[in-house]
Amino acid sequence: NGDDRLTLALAGERDMRRISEATFSEYAACAELPPKAVLRVVRDTVKRAREQWPSMLYTASLAVETKRQILGRLVQLPLVGK
């Protein structure tokens, strides 16, 4: 299992497995940004990543096991795996 900790905290959270839409809402409030706009960008980014990562990994020159590990880790993240 790898390191799931962020170097810089996002809304006080460093554990990637605990980053959620609520984390981004809290960040938006702290940064005085409109939460709806921030969540729209987060959702769009996650959607694009979920659509594009599998094909990008398929064509990447990585070992099959490395590709499996990357996909396995992504689906463990609340934002991506939901």
Side-chain angles (χ1 to χ4, degrees), residues 16 19 45-47 49-50 53 71 73-82:
M16 280 297 297
I19 301 291
T45 302
V46 169
K47 178 179 179 255
R50 290 171 82 187
W53 264 92
L71 285 175
R73 306 247 315 144
L74 285 175
V75 299
Q76 292 175 358
L77 302 177
L79 285 173
V80 180
K82 65 177 189 170

Side-chain angles (χ1 to χ4, degrees), residues 11-75:
E13 185 57 66
R14 289 182 185 260
D15 187 342
M16 280 297 297
R17 296 167 297 186
R18 297 182 62 181
I19 301 291
S20 65
E21 288 186 2
T23 310
F24 281 95
S25 292
E26 186 177 334
Y27 170 77
C30 290
E32 298 181 4
L33 297 169
K36 287 183 180 181
V38 170
L39 289 178
R40 187 172 39 251
V41 171
V42 167
R43 290 176 184 140
D44 182 56
T45 302
V46 169
K47 178 179 179 255
R48 289 174 188 243
R50 290 171 82 187
E51 291 170 352
Q52 295 177 12
W53 264 92
S55 63
M56 288 173 44
L57 281 175
Y58 180 77
T59 59
S61 57
L62 297 170
V64 172
E65 184 56 28
T66 302
K67 293 177 184 184
R68 282 191 195 124
Q69 289 174 345
I70 291 170
L71 285 175
R73 306 247 315 144
L74 285 175
V75 299

